[in-house]
Amino acid sequence: MEQSLILIAGGILMGLGAIGSGIGIGVLSGKYLEGVARQPELQPMLMTQLFITLALVDAVPIIAVGISLYMIFAL
Amino acid sequence: MAGDAPTSQEYIQHHLTNLAYGKHSDGSWGFAGTPEQIREMGFWAIHVDTMIWSIGLGILFLAFFTIVAKRATAGVPGSVQNLCEVAVEFVEDNITQVFGTRPNSVIGPLSLTILVWVFLMNLMDLVPVDLIPHAAYLAGVEYFKIVPTTDPNATLGMSIGVFLLVVYYNIKIKGPVKFATGFVTHPIPKWFMYPFNFILEIVDLIAKPLSHGLRLFGNLYAGEMIFILIALLYSSGIVLAVFGGFLQWAWAVFHILIICLQAFVFMILTIVYLTQAHETGEH
């Protein structure tokens, strides 16, 4: 009984995290492409900023994924 | 591990437990044999394998850079020297971009150390999952995790270290009074908003080191977990093994980006937090 609850919890945790990072990174890279399209010579600088903000957007979802993997497999 | 092939659950369980050294329930100090013993050891169990690998890689980094620094020539630099110069200049550019050129003796070496050290620790994740733990098993060491950054103790330890530095610089630059009143007045300087400000500032203060450390941990832990799951494919039939081999190659290539990105982000956030600690501008 308890194991199945953990699996459901892990699934929900990972799913919601995936939705969050999916939307966040989608919007982020969309804006990045617009920025590069508008000024291609800024591409290197924009790419650095993209990676920094990508990691910040990705932070909480990947922590959620880490915790849910821990719960599912190692708990 | 039992004589017969371990079940997948055991296999995963085995690859996720650290080599812990601590106080057994019967009061004797020693290495833990099973995960249950680790739980009994509670807080004061030291993850020996994380310590070995992180300190070892730290010494490797320091030795490598010291040797290159000693043999640095103003003339035609050798390839090794170029490598170190690329790293140092990369760190220097990021610091001047974010932190500016304020005199600070700590931020330069700290950022270089964090970048290269965290990168080296993350690099261990590319080593095939079973290679070193199995060798350690043959040498009699039951559990041996080789990637220090998949241990929250290591990543949170680093982020708490950075947090202490931030508090130190806050107090040193702003002075204890201004730093303390900053908690209450910050977002909205109206007196009736003080409790609201205080809660906001405290949450912000705590969230920074926590998310800073757990981000690195989450990324590396999820990455290693997927490597372990791929490794499970090898044990089930030739078709899946070949597919597993390709999957491991593909995930390792993608993981190289994650490794570099997480080390870079960990450094950048350290610089950003230290910059915020130096902000005294009235805004």
Side-chain angles (χ1 to χ4, degrees):
Chain A
M1 173 54 187
E2 195 226 324
Q3 182 62 15
S4 57
L5 278 182
I6 288 177
L7 290 178
I8 294 171
I12 292 173
L13 201 57
M14 228 189 270
L16 293 179
I19 293 174
S21 65
I23 294 171
I25 292 170
V27 169
L28 182 68
S29 29
K31 291 284 189 281
Y32 165 68
L33 291 176
E34 277 170 28
V36 169
R38 182 170 295 129
Q39 280 184 315
E41 72 277 5
L42 281 187
Q43 199 265 342
M45 193 270 287
L46 281 178
M47 203 172 73
T48 325
Q49 301 304 328
L50 170 77
F51 276 130
I52 298 173
T53 43
L54 182 105
L56 298 182
V57 163
D58 217 15
V60 179
I62 203 70
I63 294 173
V65 166
I67 292 169
S68 70
L69 285 176
Y70 176 76
M71 268 165 44
I72 294 172
F73 288 110
L75 209 54
Chain B
M1 282 191 276
D4 57 355
T7 63
S8 59
Q9 182 69 11
E10 270 169 28
Y11 181 79
I12 293 169
Q13 200 91 38
H14 168 268
H15 277 293
L16 291 178
T17 42
N18 286 88
L19 176 65
Y21 181 87
K23 196 180 231 283
H24 286 289
S25 44
D26 56 14
S28 66
W29 286 81
F31 285 100
T34 61
E36 289 70 29
Q37 279 179 345
I38 297 177
R39 269 186 213 100
E40 278 158 30
M41 284 180 185
F43 180 73
W44 291 108
I46 301 166
H47 285 176
V48 174
D49 51 3
T50 308
M51 298 295 278
I52 293 171
W53 285 104
S54 50
I55 294 171
L57 288 169
I59 292 167
L60 178 84
F61 152 66
L62 288 176
F64 182 73
F65 271 71
T66 332
I67 293 167
V68 171
K70 280 207 172 44
R71 282 194 289 107
T73 64
V76 175
S79 61
V80 172
Q81 186 180 334
N82 273 338
L83 182 71
C84 296
E85 275 172 13
V86 161
V88 171
E89 271 152 23
F90 177 68
V91 169
E92 201 184 339
D93 293 347
N94 282 301
I95 291 178
T96 42
Q97 228 175 28
V98 176
F99 184 71
T101 52
R102 279 177 278 235
N104 186 316
S105 61
V106 168
I107 193 162
L110 173 71
S111 308
L112 180 68
T113 309
I114 282 181
L115 181 74
V116 180
W117 192 30
V118 169
F119 174 73
L120 284 178
M121 287 202 278
N122 293 351
L123 208 58
M124 294 303 297
D125 209 7
L126 290 183
V127 172
V129 168
D130 256 326
L131 205 60
I132 297 180
H134 195 61
Y137 172 70
L138 298 179
V141 176
E142 185 70 22
Y143 297 99
F144 202 63
K145 242 169 97 172
I146 55 170
V147 187
T149 36
T150 52
D151 184 353
N153 304 310
T155 54
L156 282 172
M158 283 192 286
S159 63
I160 287 169
V162 169
F163 174 67
L164 293 177
L165 211 60
V166 164
V167 171
Y168 164 73
Y169 275 113
N170 259 321
I171 291 170
K172 182 181 169 203
I173 304 285
K174 294 180 188 166
V177 174
K178 195 165 181 323
F179 175 48
T181 51
F183 280 117
V184 183
T185 57
H186 246 294
I188 305 155
K190 293 287 182 300
W191 63 271
F192 53 85
M193 290 304 281
Y194 278 178
F196 173 71
N197 289 346
F198 184 72
I199 296 167
L200 223 61
E201 282 295 313
I202 286 294
V203 166
D204 180 60
L205 192 73
I206 305 290
K208 276 189 203 155
L210 207 61
S211 68
H212 192 199
L214 282 181
R215 174 182 306 114
L216 182 59
F217 162 70
N219 275 286
L220 269 300
Y221 186 81
E224 195 197 352
M225 179 61 82
I226 290 169
F227 272 128
I228 294 172
L229 293 178
I230 293 172
L232 272 177
L233 284 178
Y234 290 130
S235 59
S236 48
I238 183 67
V239 172
L240 276 179
V242 169
F243 177 61
F246 168 72
L247 216 58
Q248 170 140 13
W249 176 80
W251 180 248
V253 167
F254 175 67
H255 201 54
I256 293 171
L257 167 70
I258 293 181
I259 287 172
C260 305
L261 183 62
Q262 287 309 317
F264 169 63
V265 163
F266 199 87
M267 178 195 81
I268 278 286
L269 277 174
T270 310
I271 299 172
V272 164
Y273 292 155
L274 286 175
T275 318
Q276 282 169 356
H278 281 70
E279 289 299 323
T280 53
E282 300 332 344
H283 49 72

